[in-house]
Amino acid sequence: MTLAAGIDVGGTKCLGVVVDEHGAIVRQARRPTPHGQAAMLHVLAGLAHELAPFDSLGIGVPGLVTLTGTLRAAPNLVDVRELAIGPRLSERLGHPVAVDNDATCAAAAEWRHGAGRGATDMVMVTLGTGIGGGIIAGGQLQRGANGFAGEIGHIVVHPDGPPCPCGRRGCWERYASGSGLGRLAQEAAAAGVLATVLENVGDVGSIRGEDLQLAARDGDIEALEVIDDYGRWVALGLVNLTNILDPSIFVLGGGLAVSSDLYLGPIKKWFIRLLYSPDHRPHPALEFAQLGSEAGAIGASLLPQLQT
Amino acid sequence: MTLAAGIDVGGTKCLGVVVDEHGAIVRQARRPTPHGQAAMLHVLAGLAHELAPFDSLGIGVPGLVTLTGTLRAAPNLVDVRELAIGPRLSERLGHPVAVDNDATCAAAAEWRHGAGRGATDMVMVTLGTGIGGGIIAGGQLQRGANGFAGEIGHIVVHPDGPPCPCGRRGCWERYASGSGLGRLAQEAAAAGVLATVLENVGDVGSIRGEDLQLAARDGDIEALEVIDDYGRWVALGLVNLTNILDPSIFVLGGGLAVSSDLYLGPIKKWFIRLLYSPDHRPHPALEFAQLGSEAGAIGASLLPQLQT
């Protein structure tokens, strides 16, 4: 039996797993995510020792990762940048260590063991604080020329839209991420709708996506309308990706996948309305992720066999 | 010596070529593009006979082409739709016929024999009346799950933008194609700039991209400003594609490639300004196509070996 180890580095914790050929987790371990370069390498090496024995090791990290396993920019990690995680851990551990972006790892996991099994062309979209992505095209996990493929959250969908921390305006994740949902809700409240939500929360600036979800589940029509608008923005980006990549399936993950029942209807409705040439093509399936919070670690364990 | 035949079906003419292993054209033939399904098959079979002998045949057509070689929708052909070009010609000619979208063919040609030689990740963007595209990712020509990958002209870059014949609003080709350039010029003239151009042309509605180019070459500052704005829209789409696919090179083709000297500066300037995380990544090269009007036919000849 081949055992593949994977570690998912998150903003707050690092989750390590050892996975068998069927994607079943046979061991796991976790540590808080440390601050700083040396501490990061130390914690990852410690997790690797704790997970041993295994036949291969892959690591998923949030941010831009080069083809040779260097983490360039990582906005959600503290004091970590330009860190050659792959080469330095390989040297310390004495065996190869494959490294890639965490959303790419989640895509790999859902492709091999989750909602995207069997697809040759699949796009994974993680709707969380931001939007991450991973692309399977032509039966291969795509990394791009430099390892940075799949930064789909920063597709500009409205050049005069709200500013994005990336320095531009109107990035897709300003509308279609979890924080984008909160922003849409705040905009609606400021425009005088969502009275009930506003009353419960107290002030416009404190309204979050979760408040909107609660109201929608109570049948608040205005909250449902904001969720419909949110579904339109999600669909707009999915349609753009369809025009470029023509996948047979989108797998939607991230925090919003937990409440998929609220979102799937609006997203599907708008997807069909916005699709280019809808009468002349099969429509890609829209599915929510199946592997939950372990997708990143499971996907990291697949990197050694998928990176080409 | 292996001889590969390729036919490029355009809106007005069909160009057939026979190409050697180095991409050199050893024979060619052309016919006017006919109207109607039966006439189309007849002309293509006739061209194939005229081009013979050859070892393989590929055909590029404008529109959505399925993986099995059926042309679904073809807005620029008269009375041709849902035509099983590949299967029906194969039967008539007695040998396999590979069929794909014309922009995909141009991408294949530039990848193998033109500006994109040696790249593993390349995007071809044809800036003509509309915008077409072809994608090389992970060293493979990408077709998508249904054959429709690369419809990049219909990426929505402004949801409240001008209506597109596709039925939606704000598609990239409303801004960044040749006709988009004309529209930007008309908008500028309607807003009171481009006085010299307007005086020469007579009325706002008659201003075309070519008029703007002429004025820009004469040093008309306002015309150069519209071209700068056009460059921003081209760059915006290229940046979106970079975020998704991380190519090492964009190859820009189509009618505007003829005046590449006017556009390359503005496109490059805006590309760097709009790029996500520009300090942490190599910037893709922006090159104009090298194979000119024969790219489509040369690329069609490559289809039998590239379609997987």
Side-chain angles (χ1 to χ4, degrees):
Chain A
M1 188 169 67
T2 306
L3 292 175
I7 300 174
D8 180 33
V9 177
T12 55
K13 71 168 197 301
C14 300
L15 171 65
V17 300
V18 175
V19 173
D20 70 15
E21 296 101 325
H22 310 292
I25 295 174
V26 298
R27 275 195 296 287
Q28 56 177 287
R30 66 189 69 208
R31 303 267 177 96
T33 299
H35 298 180
Q37 320 262 70
M40 179 64 77
L41 293 174
H42 183 73
V43 162
L44 292 173
L47 267 173
H49 286 302
E50 194 175 336
L51 292 168
F54 49 75
D55 298 291
S56 65
L57 174 62
I59 300 179
V61 291
L64 292 175
V65 181
T66 69
L67 292 177
T68 52
T70 290
L71 177 60
R72 284 272 169 85
N76 295 321
L77 298 180
V78 180
D79 295 335
V80 176
R81 55 181 301 189
E82 298 297 339
L83 179 58
I85 295 184
R88 294 185 62 180
L89 272 184
S90 291
E91 198 184 324
R92 189 186 287 208
L93 298 172
H95 59 72
V97 179
V99 184
D100 216 320
N101 172 270
D102 54 357
T104 302
C105 291
E110 292 289 338
W111 179 40
R112 282 302 170 93
H113 299 299
R117 275 190 306 275
T120 58
D121 296 85
M122 174 198 121
V123 179
M124 169 105 194
V125 180
T126 57
L127 305 166
T129 309
I131 297 180
I135 295 166
I136 316 299
Q140 288 183 335
L141 181 69
Q142 297 297 337
R143 307 177 71 198
N146 308 292
F148 305 156
E151 289 293 334
I152 59 177
H154 296 283
I155 303 172
V156 173
V157 293
H158 198 319
D160 309 319
C164 182
C166 81
R168 298 178 297 146
R169 284 183 169 275
C171 293
W172 187 32
E173 67 176 41
R174 287 304 96 214
Y175 299 92
S177 66
S179 51
L181 177 64
R183 203 185 56 74
L184 291 174
Q186 291 182 8
E187 269 188 3
V193 292
L194 289 181
T196 315
V197 174
L198 184 54
E199 200 176 319
N200 290 339
V201 176
D203 68 289
V204 167
S206 301
I207 296 177
R208 304 185 54 168
E210 291 80 353
D211 305 310
L212 194 74
Q213 288 183 19
L214 280 173
R217 290 202 186 284
D218 280 346
D220 182 326
I221 299 287
E222 293 177 337
L224 288 165
E225 278 171 3
V226 174
I227 284 177
D228 189 70
D229 190 40
Y230 173 77
R232 182 173 65 90
W233 285 107
V234 173
L236 183 69
L238 298 182
V239 163
N240 281 351
L241 289 162
T242 302
N243 289 334
I244 299 167
L245 292 163
D246 181 28
S248 63
I249 180 171
F250 284 101
V251 180
L252 309 178
L256 287 166
V258 179
S259 302
S260 57
D261 59 311
L262 272 181
Y263 302 108
L264 194 55
I267 294 171
K268 282 192 169 170
K269 177 186 83 175
W270 283 106
F271 184 83
I272 291 168
R273 286 201 197 165
L274 293 170
L275 187 62
Y276 170 68
S277 205
D279 302 335
H280 295 98
R281 65 193 306 158
H283 299 179
L286 304 181
E287 303 280 349
F288 277 89
Q290 294 178 351
L291 300 177
S293 58
E294 281 140 2
I298 294 172
S301 80
L302 296 167
L303 290 177
Q305 65 185 89
L306 294 180
Q307 287 183 346
T308 49
Chain B
M1 187 169 67
T2 307
L3 292 176
I7 300 174
D8 180 34
V9 176
T12 55
K13 71 169 196 304
C14 299
L15 170 66
V17 300
V18 175
V19 173
D20 70 13
E21 297 101 326
H22 311 291
I25 294 174
V26 296
R27 276 194 297 283
Q28 55 177 289
R30 67 189 68 209
R31 303 268 177 96
T33 299
H35 297 181
Q37 318 262 68
M40 179 64 75
L41 293 174
H42 183 73
V43 162
L44 291 173
L47 266 174
H49 286 302
E50 193 175 337
L51 292 168
F54 50 74
D55 299 292
S56 65
L57 173 62
I59 300 179
V61 292
L64 292 175
V65 182
T66 68
L67 292 178
T68 52
T70 290
L71 177 58
R72 284 274 168 84
N76 296 320
L77 298 179
V78 180
D79 294 334
V80 177
R81 56 181 301 189
E82 299 296 338
L83 178 58
I85 295 184
R88 293 185 63 180
L89 272 185
S90 292
E91 197 184 324
R92 188 186 289 209
L93 298 171
H95 58 72
V97 179
V99 184
D100 216 322
N101 174 270
D102 54 358
T104 303
C105 291
E110 292 290 338
W111 180 40
R112 281 302 170 93
H113 299 300
R117 276 191 305 276
T120 58
D121 297 84
M122 175 198 121
V123 180
M124 170 105 193
V125 180
T126 57
L127 304 166
T129 309
I131 297 180
I135 295 165
I136 316 299
Q140 289 183 334
L141 181 68
Q142 296 297 336
R143 308 176 71 199
N146 309 292
F148 306 156
E151 290 293 335
I152 60 178
H154 296 283
I155 303 173
V156 173
V157 293
H158 199 318
D160 309 319
C164 182
C166 82
R168 298 178 297 147
R169 285 182 168 274
C171 292
W172 187 31
E173 67 176 41
R174 287 304 95 216
Y175 299 92
S177 66
S179 51
L181 177 64
R183 202 185 55 75
L184 291 175
Q186 292 183 8
E187 269 189 3
V193 292
L194 290 181
T196 314
V197 174
L198 184 54
E199 199 176 322
N200 290 339
V201 176
D203 67 290
V204 167
S206 302
I207 296 177
R208 305 185 54 168
E210 291 80 352
D211 305 310
L212 194 75
Q213 287 183 20
L214 280 173
R217 291 203 185 283
D218 280 345
D220 182 325
I221 300 286
E222 293 177 337
L224 288 165
E225 278 171 3
V226 174
I227 284 178
D228 188 70
D229 190 40
Y230 173 76
R232 183 173 66 91
W233 284 107
V234 173
L236 183 69
L238 299 182
V239 162
N240 281 351
L241 289 162
T242 302
N243 289 335
I244 298 167
L245 291 163
D246 182 28
S248 63
I249 181 171
F250 284 100
V251 179
L252 308 179
L256 286 167
V258 179
S259 302
S260 58
D261 59 311
L262 272 181
Y263 302 108
L264 194 55
I267 294 171
K268 282 191 169 172
K269 177 187 86 175
W270 283 107
F271 184 83
I272 291 168
R273 286 200 196 166
L274 293 170
L275 187 62
Y276 170 67
S277 206
D279 302 336
H280 296 99
R281 66 192 308 160
H283 298 178
L286 305 181
E287 303 280 348
F288 277 89
Q290 294 178 352
L291 300 177
S293 58
E294 282 142 1
I298 294 172
S301 80
L302 296 167
L303 290 178
Q305 64 185 88
L306 293 180
Q307 287 184 346
T308 48

